Amino acid sequence: MPRTLDGQITMEKTPSYFVTREAPGRIHGMSPDTKLIVVVRNPVTRAISDYAQTLSKTPGLPSFRALAFRHGLGAVDTAWSAVRIGLYAQHLEHWLRYFPLSRFLFVSGERLVSQPAAELGRVQDFLGLRRVVTDKHFYFNATKGFPCLRKAQGSRRPRCLGGSKGRPHPRVPEAVVRRLRDFYRPFNRKFYQMTGQDFGWD
């Protein structure tokens, strides 16, 4: 990490940190005062989105159902990373061995889309920053299905998520979605209890 002077905040983003076993110990060893921001979304939607991204890079992949379950609609296959990542309570338990809950901010991926300024207001508060990002900084891009940042002063165009974001998801049978919802429910509830936040996924 670069040196940070008084009055500066250094940020780094890596989606895999939260699910990488070695990450909490290494980050704590580097800086035990680090603030941690974790963006989470409904684990069923997240798994389907993960699959859509992989499918775009690897055509001919087995169906979502074939990867998510063993033997048809048997046991959920937690060895598949798209499923395992959504077990947020298990990942958080490991992180809490190194960092107190007060060092974390859990951001709702759903609210980041529906109310971006409000969710970023929470981020600014958590980081001890003055709230400068407001509703006026966003517009909804109907093509992507996401909010985008309005054109910054001196910029030629607005900022939007990259081409890999906002792609359509493959159709997944309702029975598969229902089974996954049932599977994640106890993990979600434990996560709500651990964080003191109800993300409304059930």
Side-chain angles (χ1 to χ4, degrees):
M1 296 293 281
R3 290 188 182 279
T4 304
L5 304 175
D6 286 342
Q8 290 183 320
I9 293 176
T10 301
M11 296 185 77
E12 200 273 348
K13 169 189 86 83
T14 304
S16 62
Y17 279 166
F18 191 55
V19 299
T20 300
R21 197 100 183 123
E22 303 79 17
R26 289 177 180 170
I27 293 170
H28 187 270
M30 179 196 74
S31 176
D33 298 325
T34 295
K35 289 186 175 183
L36 303 152
I37 301 171
V38 183
V39 181
V40 291
R41 65 191 290 204
N42 183 320
V44 176
T45 311
R46 205 218 64 76
I48 294 169
S49 180
D50 191 315
Y51 175 76
Q53 184 166 350
T54 307
L55 188 62
S56 73
K57 297 173 186 171
T58 317
L61 205 61
S63 71
F64 180 85
R65 174 183 179 158
L67 293 168
F69 299 95
R70 297 189 195 117
H71 318 297
L73 268 181
V76 173
D77 190 353
T78 56
W80 186 34
S81 65
V83 168
R84 188 176 62 252
I85 289 169
L87 299 172
Y88 304 133
Q90 290 185 355
H91 305 306
L92 181 56
E93 275 180 340
H94 184 60
W95 279 85
L96 291 175
R97 293 180 193 150
Y98 296 88
F99 292 95
L101 193 61
S102 61
R103 304 306 298 172
F104 289 87
L105 176 69
F106 297 94
V107 174
S108 163
E110 288 82 11
R111 284 194 301 269
L112 207 48
V113 172
S114 65
Q115 303 165 41
E119 209 61 5
L120 285 176
R122 294 179 61 238
V123 171
Q124 291 169 97
D125 293 346
F126 177 69
L127 296 175
L129 299 172
R130 191 167 50 88
R131 284 197 179 200
V132 292
V133 180
T134 64
D135 283 325
K136 71 179 183 185
H137 292 95
F138 296 94
Y139 74 96
F140 187 77
N141 182 314
T143 306
K144 284 199 163 288
F146 284 103
C148 298
L149 285 169
R150 293 192 185 282
K151 191 169 74 164
Q153 208 170 8
S155 170
R156 287 187 309 220
R157 56 195 173 108
R159 290 282 316 210
C160 218
L161 293 171
S164 68
K165 302 295 181 188
R167 68 166 61 86
H169 288 175
R171 193 190 160 287
V172 176
E174 184 54 38
V176 170
V177 172
R178 198 166 37 249
R179 280 288 311 281
L180 274 180
R181 272 197 208 116
D182 292 344
F183 166 76
Y184 279 119
R185 188 169 292 114
F187 296 101
N188 291 345
R189 288 182 177 164
K190 184 173 183 184
F191 185 63
Y192 300 168
Q193 188 177 24
M194 293 170 80
T195 61
Q197 278 182 255
D198 184 336
F199 290 90
W201 298 323
D202 299 317

